Amino acid sequence: MHRLATAVVVVVMAFASSGCSHAETGPITRAEIDFRGFPDGAAPLSFGPGEASLRSSPSEDAGAQLRIVDGKLTNMPVIESGTAGYYTSPDLGGTVTDLGARWVFTPRGGTPGTMAMLVSQSALDFPFAVHLVITPGTWSFGVWPPHGEPEQGLQVLQSEAFTAPLAQDGVRVHEARVKIEGERVAIDLPDGQHRVIRDPRIAAWSGHFATFEAFSDHGLTDSRAGFTEIWAFSRRVE
């Protein structure tokens, strides 16, 4: 039997002890969705406190948009060049503090695909306080400045190769988590490694929106990223 599909928002009051700051006392919003129980077809839009948005790039790639296939949120690019599908949360009502995903890489023509997770102040727009990219062979974390900044484009803060490549068999489920605390992020990687990165731009550009991305640098041959579960938690300052 299929697992029941879930799209959950839970608000929990977290009361501070005498040593905690006022900013830590706001309610937590938890947006979580498990795609394994959904039928093939359009991606579900209910995600936490509202409706998620779907985007794809470029417009001429009819297969770039994310949809449900075999219990996974995935896409099937139909052009040779770079292509991406995005699933973006609604406004989560507070700064995103945690986000994560479970996914598989399904092989196509032999080149590696990409999964990414982003945090922004508006729906899928610069700046990005979090830009975590994971391929079967590498991971990287960076920030992306807002429009008009002297430095443009992705600013990579750390990047490494995995000791052993991640499986691309369409079966092995990988998991990554990001915890954001001010200018600090703690990253749990799919190979079991843990990394901590600090940069003041993480705090300055933090936001209420989380995006989950399936990207192909070579649209017809990259392995497809297929999300089985995604989640994003936020805390509202009161």
Side-chain angles (χ1 to χ4, degrees), residues 47 53 55 66 85-90 92 96 99-101 115-120 122-125 128 130-132 208-214 227 230-232:
F47 187 47
S53 60
R55 300 189 197 179
L66 295 168
Y86 306 94
Y87 187 91
T88 300
S89 74
L92 295 178
V96 175
L99 73 161
M115 184 283 293
M117 296 190 293
L118 321 173
V119 172
S120 55
S122 58
L124 195 58
D125 196 8
F128 295 123
V130 168
H131 194 288
L132 177 66
H208 295 193
F209 293 83
T211 294
F212 302 86
E213 174 186 356
F227 295 99
I230 60 173
W231 59 91

PDB file of all heavy atoms in Angstrom, residues 47 53 55 66 85-90 92 96 99-101 115-120 122-125 128 130-132 208-214 227 230-232:
ATOM      1  N   PHE A  47       1.243  23.480   0.939  1.00  0.00           N
ATOM      2  CA  PHE A  47       2.530  23.292   1.610  1.00  0.00           C
ATOM      3  C   PHE A  47       2.586  24.214   2.816  1.00  0.00           C
ATOM      4  O   PHE A  47       2.837  25.402   2.693  1.00  0.00           O
ATOM      5  CB  PHE A  47       3.677  23.571   0.648  1.00  0.00           C
ATOM      6  CG  PHE A  47       5.044  23.244   1.199  1.00  0.00           C
ATOM      7  CD1 PHE A  47       5.299  22.048   1.840  1.00  0.00           C
ATOM      8  CD2 PHE A  47       6.090  24.146   1.059  1.00  0.00           C
ATOM      9  CE1 PHE A  47       6.560  21.749   2.333  1.00  0.00           C
ATOM     10  CE2 PHE A  47       7.358  23.856   1.542  1.00  0.00           C
ATOM     11  CZ  PHE A  47       7.588  22.651   2.177  1.00  0.00           C
ATOM     12  N   SER A  53       4.488  27.582  -5.012  1.00  0.00           N
ATOM     13  CA  SER A  53       4.508  28.010  -6.415  1.00  0.00           C
ATOM     14  C   SER A  53       5.508  27.164  -7.183  1.00  0.00           C
ATOM     15  O   SER A  53       6.527  26.724  -6.645  1.00  0.00           O
ATOM     16  CB  SER A  53       4.870  29.493  -6.525  1.00  0.00           C
ATOM     17  OG  SER A  53       6.143  29.753  -5.971  1.00  0.00           O
ATOM     18  N   ARG A  55       7.866  26.931 -10.702  1.00  0.00           N
ATOM     19  CA  ARG A  55       8.464  27.653 -11.825  1.00  0.00           C
ATOM     20  C   ARG A  55       9.438  26.717 -12.534  1.00  0.00           C
ATOM     21  O   ARG A  55       9.900  25.729 -11.961  1.00  0.00           O
ATOM     22  CB  ARG A  55       9.206  28.904 -11.353  1.00  0.00           C
ATOM     23  CG  ARG A  55       8.354  29.924 -10.639  1.00  0.00           C
ATOM     24  CD  ARG A  55       9.128  31.203 -10.414  1.00  0.00           C
ATOM     25  NE  ARG A  55       8.504  32.041  -9.398  1.00  0.00           N
ATOM     26  CZ  ARG A  55       9.005  33.215  -8.994  1.00  0.00           C
ATOM     27  NH1 ARG A  55      10.124  33.671  -9.517  1.00  0.00           N
ATOM     28  NH2 ARG A  55       8.391  33.916  -8.051  1.00  0.00           N
ATOM     29  N   LEU A  66       8.339  20.700 -12.390  1.00  0.00           N
ATOM     30  CA  LEU A  66       8.248  19.573 -11.472  1.00  0.00           C
ATOM     31  C   LEU A  66       6.835  19.015 -11.418  1.00  0.00           C
ATOM     32  O   LEU A  66       5.851  19.762 -11.415  1.00  0.00           O
ATOM     33  CB  LEU A  66       8.704  20.004 -10.081  1.00  0.00           C
ATOM     34  CG  LEU A  66      10.176  20.396  -9.970  1.00  0.00           C
ATOM     35  CD1 LEU A  66      10.449  21.088  -8.642  1.00  0.00           C
ATOM     36  CD2 LEU A  66      11.073  19.175 -10.121  1.00  0.00           C
ATOM     37  N   GLY A  85      13.694  23.020 -12.528  1.00  0.00           N
ATOM     38  CA  GLY A  85      12.336  23.108 -12.003  1.00  0.00           C
ATOM     39  C   GLY A  85      12.403  23.495 -10.538  1.00  0.00           C
ATOM     40  O   GLY A  85      13.264  22.997  -9.802  1.00  0.00           O
ATOM     41  N   TYR A  86      11.495  24.384 -10.099  1.00  0.00           N
ATOM     42  CA  TYR A  86      11.535  24.933  -8.745  1.00  0.00           C
ATOM     43  C   TYR A  86      10.190  24.738  -8.048  1.00  0.00           C
ATOM     44  O   TYR A  86       9.129  24.963  -8.645  1.00  0.00           O
ATOM     45  CB  TYR A  86      11.834  26.433  -8.774  1.00  0.00           C
ATOM     46  CG  TYR A  86      13.063  26.827  -9.535  1.00  0.00           C
ATOM     47  CD1 TYR A  86      12.965  27.202 -10.884  1.00  0.00           C
ATOM     48  CD2 TYR A  86      14.315  26.857  -8.932  1.00  0.00           C
ATOM     49  CE1 TYR A  86      14.083  27.592 -11.599  1.00  0.00           C
ATOM     50  CE2 TYR A  86      15.444  27.246  -9.632  1.00  0.00           C
ATOM     51  CZ  TYR A  86      15.325  27.611 -10.971  1.00  0.00           C
ATOM     52  OH  TYR A  86      16.426  27.997 -11.677  1.00  0.00           O
ATOM     53  N   TYR A  87      10.249  24.372  -6.767  1.00  0.00           N
ATOM     54  CA  TYR A  87       9.061  24.269  -5.910  1.00  0.00           C
ATOM     55  C   TYR A  87       9.331  25.192  -4.725  1.00  0.00           C
ATOM     56  O   TYR A  87      10.230  24.929  -3.913  1.00  0.00           O
ATOM     57  CB  TYR A  87       8.883  22.830  -5.450  1.00  0.00           C
ATOM     58  CG  TYR A  87       7.599  22.533  -4.697  1.00  0.00           C
ATOM     59  CD1 TYR A  87       6.459  22.115  -5.369  1.00  0.00           C
ATOM     60  CD2 TYR A  87       7.540  22.643  -3.312  1.00  0.00           C
ATOM     61  CE1 TYR A  87       5.292  21.819  -4.691  1.00  0.00           C
ATOM     62  CE2 TYR A  87       6.376  22.347  -2.618  1.00  0.00           C
ATOM     63  CZ  TYR A  87       5.249  21.933  -3.314  1.00  0.00           C
ATOM     64  OH  TYR A  87       4.098  21.636  -2.631  1.00  0.00           O
ATOM     65  N   THR A  88       8.573  26.291  -4.626  1.00  0.00           N
ATOM     66  CA  THR A  88       8.829  27.326  -3.624  1.00  0.00           C
ATOM     67  C   THR A  88       7.683  27.410  -2.632  1.00  0.00           C
ATOM     68  O   THR A  88       6.513  27.455  -3.016  1.00  0.00           O
ATOM     69  CB  THR A  88       9.035  28.693  -4.303  1.00  0.00           C
ATOM     70  OG1 THR A  88      10.161  28.616  -5.196  1.00  0.00           O
ATOM     71  CG2 THR A  88       9.304  29.780  -3.271  1.00  0.00           C
ATOM     72  N   SER A  89       8.030  27.470  -1.373  1.00  0.00           N
ATOM     73  CA  SER A  89       7.032  27.561  -0.309  1.00  0.00           C
ATOM     74  C   SER A  89       6.282  28.879  -0.376  1.00  0.00           C
ATOM     75  O   SER A  89       6.754  29.853  -0.969  1.00  0.00           O
ATOM     76  CB  SER A  89       7.714  27.454   1.059  1.00  0.00           C
ATOM     77  OG  SER A  89       8.408  28.662   1.371  1.00  0.00           O
ATOM     78  N   PRO A  90       5.113  28.944   0.280  1.00  0.00           N
ATOM     79  CA  PRO A  90       4.498  30.246   0.519  1.00  0.00           C
ATOM     80  C   PRO A  90       5.308  30.980   1.579  1.00  0.00           C
ATOM     81  O   PRO A  90       6.297  30.444   2.106  1.00  0.00           O
ATOM     82  CB  PRO A  90       3.102  29.871   1.042  1.00  0.00           C
ATOM     83  CG  PRO A  90       3.319  28.556   1.709  1.00  0.00           C
ATOM     84  CD  PRO A  90       4.347  27.843   0.881  1.00  0.00           C
ATOM     85  N   LEU A  92       6.374  31.697   4.918  1.00  0.00           N
ATOM     86  CA  LEU A  92       6.248  30.859   6.110  1.00  0.00           C
ATOM     87  C   LEU A  92       6.044  31.649   7.389  1.00  0.00           C
ATOM     88  O   LEU A  92       6.034  31.085   8.479  1.00  0.00           O
ATOM     89  CB  LEU A  92       7.472  29.949   6.227  1.00  0.00           C
ATOM     90  CG  LEU A  92       7.614  28.920   5.098  1.00  0.00           C
ATOM     91  CD1 LEU A  92       8.889  28.099   5.281  1.00  0.00           C
ATOM     92  CD2 LEU A  92       6.397  28.003   5.029  1.00  0.00           C
ATOM     93  N   VAL A  96      13.190  31.399   7.974  1.00  0.00           N
ATOM     94  CA  VAL A  96      13.430  29.958   7.861  1.00  0.00           C
ATOM     95  C   VAL A  96      14.630  29.586   8.727  1.00  0.00           C
ATOM     96  O   VAL A  96      15.710  30.187   8.614  1.00  0.00           O
ATOM     97  CB  VAL A  96      13.690  29.555   6.392  1.00  0.00           C
ATOM     98  CG1 VAL A  96      14.054  28.080   6.307  1.00  0.00           C
ATOM     99  CG2 VAL A  96      12.461  29.854   5.542  1.00  0.00           C
ATOM    100  N   LEU A  99      15.652  23.554   7.001  1.00  0.00           N
ATOM    101  CA  LEU A  99      15.056  22.988   5.797  1.00  0.00           C
ATOM    102  C   LEU A  99      15.829  21.733   5.436  1.00  0.00           C
ATOM    103  O   LEU A  99      16.982  21.536   5.833  1.00  0.00           O
ATOM    104  CB  LEU A  99      15.025  23.978   4.636  1.00  0.00           C
ATOM    105  CG  LEU A  99      16.310  24.336   3.903  1.00  0.00           C
ATOM    106  CD1 LEU A  99      15.965  24.937   2.532  1.00  0.00           C
ATOM    107  CD2 LEU A  99      17.108  25.346   4.701  1.00  0.00           C
ATOM    108  N   GLY A 100      15.131  20.869   4.710  1.00  0.00           N
ATOM    109  CA  GLY A 100      15.771  19.618   4.368  1.00  0.00           C
ATOM    110  C   GLY A 100      14.992  18.880   3.304  1.00  0.00           C
ATOM    111  O   GLY A 100      13.867  19.251   2.940  1.00  0.00           O
ATOM    112  N   ALA A 101      15.609  17.822   2.795  1.00  0.00           N
ATOM    113  CA  ALA A 101      14.988  17.044   1.730  1.00  0.00           C
ATOM    114  C   ALA A 101      15.530  15.630   1.736  1.00  0.00           C
ATOM    115  O   ALA A 101      16.661  15.369   2.166  1.00  0.00           O
ATOM    116  CB  ALA A 101      15.252  17.691   0.374  1.00  0.00           C
ATOM    117  N   MET A 115      20.589  18.520  -7.125  1.00  0.00           N
ATOM    118  CA  MET A 115      19.524  18.934  -6.217  1.00  0.00           C
ATOM    119  C   MET A 115      20.001  20.186  -5.503  1.00  0.00           C
ATOM    120  O   MET A 115      21.168  20.289  -5.130  1.00  0.00           O
ATOM    121  CB  MET A 115      19.240  17.827  -5.189  1.00  0.00           C
ATOM    122  CG  MET A 115      18.069  18.133  -4.252  1.00  0.00           C
ATOM    123  SD  MET A 115      18.399  19.300  -2.901  1.00  0.00           S
ATOM    124  CE  MET A 115      19.550  18.395  -1.890  1.00  0.00           C
ATOM    125  N   ALA A 116      19.101  21.156  -5.304  1.00  0.00           N
ATOM    126  CA  ALA A 116      19.470  22.376  -4.590  1.00  0.00           C
ATOM    127  C   ALA A 116      18.357  22.802  -3.643  1.00  0.00           C
ATOM    128  O   ALA A 116      17.174  22.524  -3.885  1.00  0.00           O
ATOM    129  CB  ALA A 116      19.786  23.506  -5.569  1.00  0.00           C
ATOM    130  N   MET A 117      18.760  23.483  -2.554  1.00  0.00           N
ATOM    131  CA  MET A 117      17.818  24.081  -1.612  1.00  0.00           C
ATOM    132  C   MET A 117      18.227  25.531  -1.388  1.00  0.00           C
ATOM    133  O   MET A 117      19.419  25.823  -1.209  1.00  0.00           O
ATOM    134  CB  MET A 117      17.815  23.314  -0.286  1.00  0.00           C
ATOM    135  CG  MET A 117      17.335  21.888  -0.409  1.00  0.00           C
ATOM    136  SD  MET A 117      17.048  21.058   1.197  1.00  0.00           S
ATOM    137  CE  MET A 117      18.722  20.945   1.839  1.00  0.00           C
ATOM    138  N   LEU A 118      17.221  26.429  -1.384  1.00  0.00           N
ATOM    139  CA  LEU A 118      17.474  27.856  -1.312  1.00  0.00           C
ATOM    140  C   LEU A 118      16.595  28.494  -0.239  1.00  0.00           C
ATOM    141  O   LEU A 118      15.488  28.018   0.038  1.00  0.00           O
ATOM    142  CB  LEU A 118      17.164  28.532  -2.654  1.00  0.00           C
ATOM    143  CG  LEU A 118      17.551  27.801  -3.945  1.00  0.00           C
ATOM    144  CD1 LEU A 118      17.008  28.553  -5.150  1.00  0.00           C
ATOM    145  CD2 LEU A 118      19.041  27.637  -4.048  1.00  0.00           C
ATOM    146  N   VAL A 119      17.061  29.601   0.327  1.00  0.00           N
ATOM    147  CA  VAL A 119      16.257  30.431   1.230  1.00  0.00           C
ATOM    148  C   VAL A 119      16.346  31.868   0.745  1.00  0.00           C
ATOM    149  O   VAL A 119      17.445  32.378   0.476  1.00  0.00           O
ATOM    150  CB  VAL A 119      16.751  30.336   2.682  1.00  0.00           C
ATOM    151  CG1 VAL A 119      16.034  31.364   3.562  1.00  0.00           C
ATOM    152  CG2 VAL A 119      16.525  28.936   3.233  1.00  0.00           C
ATOM    153  N   SER A 120      15.182  32.521   0.635  1.00  0.00           N
ATOM    154  CA  SER A 120      15.150  33.885   0.107  1.00  0.00           C
ATOM    155  C   SER A 120      14.132  34.740   0.845  1.00  0.00           C
ATOM    156  O   SER A 120      13.280  34.235   1.584  1.00  0.00           O
ATOM    157  CB  SER A 120      14.831  33.872  -1.388  1.00  0.00           C
ATOM    158  OG  SER A 120      13.621  33.181  -1.644  1.00  0.00           O
ATOM    159  N   SER A 122      11.970  36.837  -0.745  1.00  0.00           N
ATOM    160  CA  SER A 122      10.737  36.780  -1.518  1.00  0.00           C
ATOM    161  C   SER A 122      10.783  35.512  -2.341  1.00  0.00           C
ATOM    162  O   SER A 122      11.812  34.837  -2.395  1.00  0.00           O
ATOM    163  CB  SER A 122      10.568  38.029  -2.390  1.00  0.00           C
ATOM    164  OG  SER A 122      11.668  38.176  -3.266  1.00  0.00           O
ATOM    165  N   ALA A 123       9.676  35.177  -2.979  1.00  0.00           N
ATOM    166  CA  ALA A 123       9.573  33.878  -3.636  1.00  0.00           C
ATOM    167  C   ALA A 123      10.550  33.771  -4.808  1.00  0.00           C
ATOM    168  O   ALA A 123      10.364  34.432  -5.844  1.00  0.00           O
ATOM    169  CB  ALA A 123       8.146  33.653  -4.117  1.00  0.00           C
ATOM    170  N   LEU A 124      11.579  32.951  -4.625  1.00  0.00           N
ATOM    171  CA  LEU A 124      12.561  32.637  -5.653  1.00  0.00           C
ATOM    172  C   LEU A 124      13.124  33.890  -6.318  1.00  0.00           C
ATOM    173  O   LEU A 124      13.058  34.073  -7.530  1.00  0.00           O
ATOM    174  CB  LEU A 124      11.960  31.700  -6.716  1.00  0.00           C
ATOM    175  CG  LEU A 124      12.979  31.015  -7.651  1.00  0.00           C
ATOM    176  CD1 LEU A 124      13.985  30.193  -6.873  1.00  0.00           C
ATOM    177  CD2 LEU A 124      12.268  30.170  -8.674  1.00  0.00           C
ATOM    178  N   ASP A 125      13.703  34.768  -5.486  1.00  0.00           N
ATOM    179  CA  ASP A 125      14.345  35.970  -6.015  1.00  0.00           C
ATOM    180  C   ASP A 125      15.538  36.296  -5.128  1.00  0.00           C
ATOM    181  O   ASP A 125      15.589  35.919  -3.951  1.00  0.00           O
ATOM    182  CB  ASP A 125      13.356  37.134  -6.059  1.00  0.00           C
ATOM    183  CG  ASP A 125      13.835  38.272  -6.954  1.00  0.00           C
ATOM    184  OD1 ASP A 125      14.857  38.095  -7.655  1.00  0.00           O
ATOM    185  OD2 ASP A 125      13.206  39.342  -6.944  1.00  0.00           O
ATOM    186  N   PHE A 128      19.760  35.302  -1.953  1.00  0.00           N
ATOM    187  CA  PHE A 128      19.623  33.986  -1.331  1.00  0.00           C
ATOM    188  C   PHE A 128      20.590  33.896  -0.154  1.00  0.00           C
ATOM    189  O   PHE A 128      21.802  34.010  -0.335  1.00  0.00           O
ATOM    190  CB  PHE A 128      19.921  32.869  -2.331  1.00  0.00           C
ATOM    191  CG  PHE A 128      18.941  32.785  -3.462  1.00  0.00           C
ATOM    192  CD1 PHE A 128      19.365  32.871  -4.774  1.00  0.00           C
ATOM    193  CD2 PHE A 128      17.586  32.614  -3.214  1.00  0.00           C
ATOM    194  CE1 PHE A 128      18.464  32.797  -5.830  1.00  0.00           C
ATOM    195  CE2 PHE A 128      16.670  32.543  -4.260  1.00  0.00           C
ATOM    196  CZ  PHE A 128      17.111  32.633  -5.564  1.00  0.00           C
ATOM    197  N   VAL A 130      20.751  31.147   1.637  1.00  0.00           N
ATOM    198  CA  VAL A 130      21.172  29.747   1.562  1.00  0.00           C
ATOM    199  C   VAL A 130      21.087  29.302   0.108  1.00  0.00           C
ATOM    200  O   VAL A 130      20.056  29.511  -0.541  1.00  0.00           O
ATOM    201  CB  VAL A 130      20.277  28.845   2.440  1.00  0.00           C
ATOM    202  CG1 VAL A 130      20.517  27.371   2.143  1.00  0.00           C
ATOM    203  CG2 VAL A 130      20.500  29.127   3.917  1.00  0.00           C
ATOM    204  N   HIS A 131      22.180  28.727  -0.390  1.00  0.00           N
ATOM    205  CA  HIS A 131      22.181  28.130  -1.729  1.00  0.00           C
ATOM    206  C   HIS A 131      23.034  26.866  -1.645  1.00  0.00           C
ATOM    207  O   HIS A 131      24.237  26.892  -1.906  1.00  0.00           O
ATOM    208  CB  HIS A 131      22.733  29.115  -2.753  1.00  0.00           C
ATOM    209  CG  HIS A 131      22.474  28.734  -4.175  1.00  0.00           C
ATOM    210  ND1 HIS A 131      23.136  27.693  -4.796  1.00  0.00           N
ATOM    211  CD2 HIS A 131      21.605  29.246  -5.109  1.00  0.00           C
ATOM    212  CE1 HIS A 131      22.709  27.588  -6.037  1.00  0.00           C
ATOM    213  NE2 HIS A 131      21.774  28.512  -6.258  1.00  0.00           N
ATOM    214  N   LEU A 132      22.386  25.768  -1.241  1.00  0.00           N
ATOM    215  CA  LEU A 132      23.071  24.487  -1.092  1.00  0.00           C
ATOM    216  C   LEU A 132      22.849  23.650  -2.343  1.00  0.00           C
ATOM    217  O   LEU A 132      21.706  23.412  -2.734  1.00  0.00           O
ATOM    218  CB  LEU A 132      22.556  23.734   0.132  1.00  0.00           C
ATOM    219  CG  LEU A 132      23.142  22.332   0.350  1.00  0.00           C
ATOM    220  CD1 LEU A 132      24.631  22.400   0.666  1.00  0.00           C
ATOM    221  CD2 LEU A 132      22.394  21.598   1.457  1.00  0.00           C
ATOM    222  N   HIS A 208      11.779  34.327   4.465  1.00  0.00           N
ATOM    223  CA  HIS A 208      10.611  33.519   4.821  1.00  0.00           C
ATOM    224  C   HIS A 208      10.290  32.433   3.797  1.00  0.00           C
ATOM    225  O   HIS A 208       9.314  31.710   3.977  1.00  0.00           O
ATOM    226  CB  HIS A 208       9.376  34.422   4.944  1.00  0.00           C
ATOM    227  CG  HIS A 208       9.444  35.408   6.065  1.00  0.00           C
ATOM    228  ND1 HIS A 208       8.332  36.113   6.489  1.00  0.00           N
ATOM    229  CD2 HIS A 208      10.462  35.816   6.857  1.00  0.00           C
ATOM    230  CE1 HIS A 208       8.671  36.928   7.484  1.00  0.00           C
ATOM    231  NE2 HIS A 208       9.962  36.767   7.719  1.00  0.00           N
ATOM    232  N   PHE A 209      11.064  32.326   2.716  1.00  0.00           N
ATOM    233  CA  PHE A 209      10.715  31.416   1.625  1.00  0.00           C
ATOM    234  C   PHE A 209      11.796  30.354   1.433  1.00  0.00           C
ATOM    235  O   PHE A 209      12.992  30.658   1.468  1.00  0.00           O
ATOM    236  CB  PHE A 209      10.545  32.193   0.317  1.00  0.00           C
ATOM    237  CG  PHE A 209       9.370  33.129   0.305  1.00  0.00           C
ATOM    238  CD1 PHE A 209       9.474  34.398   0.856  1.00  0.00           C
ATOM    239  CD2 PHE A 209       8.153  32.744  -0.253  1.00  0.00           C
ATOM    240  CE1 PHE A 209       8.392  35.266   0.852  1.00  0.00           C
ATOM    241  CE2 PHE A 209       7.070  33.604  -0.259  1.00  0.00           C
ATOM    242  CZ  PHE A 209       7.182  34.866   0.302  1.00  0.00           C
ATOM    243  N   ALA A 210      11.371  29.117   1.213  1.00  0.00           N
ATOM    244  CA  ALA A 210      12.273  28.004   0.919  1.00  0.00           C
ATOM    245  C   ALA A 210      11.948  27.459  -0.465  1.00  0.00           C
ATOM    246  O   ALA A 210      10.775  27.324  -0.826  1.00  0.00           O
ATOM    247  CB  ALA A 210      12.122  26.906   1.961  1.00  0.00           C
ATOM    248  N   THR A 211      12.992  27.148  -1.228  1.00  0.00           N
ATOM    249  CA  THR A 211      12.813  26.604  -2.574  1.00  0.00           C
ATOM    250  C   THR A 211      13.598  25.308  -2.708  1.00  0.00           C
ATOM    251  O   THR A 211      14.730  25.200  -2.228  1.00  0.00           O
ATOM    252  CB  THR A 211      13.294  27.601  -3.643  1.00  0.00           C
ATOM    253  OG1 THR A 211      12.453  28.762  -3.614  1.00  0.00           O
ATOM    254  CG2 THR A 211      13.242  26.989  -5.034  1.00  0.00           C
ATOM    255  N   PHE A 212      12.995  24.354  -3.399  1.00  0.00           N
ATOM    256  CA  PHE A 212      13.619  23.060  -3.679  1.00  0.00           C
ATOM    257  C   PHE A 212      13.726  22.939  -5.195  1.00  0.00           C
ATOM    258  O   PHE A 212      12.737  23.101  -5.911  1.00  0.00           O
ATOM    259  CB  PHE A 212      12.782  21.932  -3.068  1.00  0.00           C
ATOM    260  CG  PHE A 212      12.613  22.099  -1.584  1.00  0.00           C
ATOM    261  CD1 PHE A 212      11.581  22.889  -1.075  1.00  0.00           C
ATOM    262  CD2 PHE A 212      13.499  21.510  -0.704  1.00  0.00           C
ATOM    263  CE1 PHE A 212      11.432  23.074   0.301  1.00  0.00           C
ATOM    264  CE2 PHE A 212      13.364  21.695   0.667  1.00  0.00           C
ATOM    265  CZ  PHE A 212      12.331  22.474   1.168  1.00  0.00           C
ATOM    266  N   GLU A 213      14.936  22.654  -5.664  1.00  0.00           N
ATOM    267  CA  GLU A 213      15.234  22.742  -7.100  1.00  0.00           C
ATOM    268  C   GLU A 213      15.813  21.438  -7.637  1.00  0.00           C
ATOM    269  O   GLU A 213      16.682  20.822  -7.010  1.00  0.00           O
ATOM    270  CB  GLU A 213      16.233  23.874  -7.338  1.00  0.00           C
ATOM    271  CG  GLU A 213      16.730  23.986  -8.757  1.00  0.00           C
ATOM    272  CD  GLU A 213      17.827  25.030  -8.922  1.00  0.00           C
ATOM    273  OE1 GLU A 213      18.160  25.722  -7.934  1.00  0.00           O
ATOM    274  OE2 GLU A 213      18.352  25.157 -10.054  1.00  0.00           O
ATOM    275  N   ALA A 214      15.349  21.039  -8.802  1.00  0.00           N
ATOM    276  CA  ALA A 214      15.969  19.968  -9.589  1.00  0.00           C
ATOM    277  C   ALA A 214      16.588  20.625 -10.809  1.00  0.00           C
ATOM    278  O   ALA A 214      15.880  21.224 -11.630  1.00  0.00           O
ATOM    279  CB  ALA A 214      14.939  18.928 -10.002  1.00  0.00           C
ATOM    280  N   PHE A 227      12.426  14.284  -5.545  1.00  0.00           N
ATOM    281  CA  PHE A 227      12.207  14.469  -4.108  1.00  0.00           C
ATOM    282  C   PHE A 227      11.142  13.501  -3.607  1.00  0.00           C
ATOM    283  O   PHE A 227      10.044  13.422  -4.162  1.00  0.00           O
ATOM    284  CB  PHE A 227      11.757  15.900  -3.812  1.00  0.00           C
ATOM    285  CG  PHE A 227      12.786  16.947  -4.115  1.00  0.00           C
ATOM    286  CD1 PHE A 227      12.734  17.676  -5.307  1.00  0.00           C
ATOM    287  CD2 PHE A 227      13.822  17.204  -3.230  1.00  0.00           C
ATOM    288  CE1 PHE A 227      13.681  18.643  -5.589  1.00  0.00           C
ATOM    289  CE2 PHE A 227      14.775  18.171  -3.495  1.00  0.00           C
ATOM    290  CZ  PHE A 227      14.704  18.892  -4.688  1.00  0.00           C
ATOM    291  N   ILE A 230      10.145  16.775   1.528  1.00  0.00           N
ATOM    292  CA  ILE A 230      10.782  18.066   1.763  1.00  0.00           C
ATOM    293  C   ILE A 230      10.172  18.695   3.000  1.00  0.00           C
ATOM    294  O   ILE A 230       9.036  18.391   3.379  1.00  0.00           O
ATOM    295  CB  ILE A 230      10.635  19.028   0.563  1.00  0.00           C
ATOM    296  CG1 ILE A 230       9.157  19.293   0.254  1.00  0.00           C
ATOM    297  CG2 ILE A 230      11.360  18.480  -0.658  1.00  0.00           C
ATOM    298  CD1 ILE A 230       8.929  20.365  -0.808  1.00  0.00           C
ATOM    299  N   TRP A 231      10.921  19.587   3.643  1.00  0.00           N
ATOM    300  CA  TRP A 231      10.388  20.288   4.809  1.00  0.00           C
ATOM    301  C   TRP A 231      11.119  21.611   5.007  1.00  0.00           C
ATOM    302  O   TRP A 231      12.269  21.779   4.582  1.00  0.00           O
ATOM    303  CB  TRP A 231      10.491  19.442   6.066  1.00  0.00           C
ATOM    304  CG  TRP A 231      11.886  19.009   6.432  1.00  0.00           C
ATOM    305  CD1 TRP A 231      12.781  19.649   7.241  1.00  0.00           C
ATOM    306  CD2 TRP A 231      12.545  17.818   5.989  1.00  0.00           C
ATOM    307  NE1 TRP A 231      13.947  18.931   7.325  1.00  0.00           N
ATOM    308  CE2 TRP A 231      13.832  17.806   6.579  1.00  0.00           C
ATOM    309  CE3 TRP A 231      12.171  16.754   5.158  1.00  0.00           C
ATOM    310  CZ2 TRP A 231      14.756  16.785   6.349  1.00  0.00           C
ATOM    311  CZ3 TRP A 231      13.084  15.737   4.933  1.00  0.00           C
ATOM    312  CH2 TRP A 231      14.350  15.756   5.523  1.00  0.00           C
ATOM    313  N   ALA A 232      10.431  22.558   5.633  1.00  0.00           N
ATOM    314  CA  ALA A 232      11.012  23.854   5.984  1.00  0.00           C
ATOM    315  C   ALA A 232      10.300  24.363   7.228  1.00  0.00           C
ATOM    316  O   ALA A 232       9.070  24.355   7.297  1.00  0.00           O
ATOM    317  CB  ALA A 232      10.846  24.855   4.837  1.00  0.00           C
TER     318      ALA A 232
END
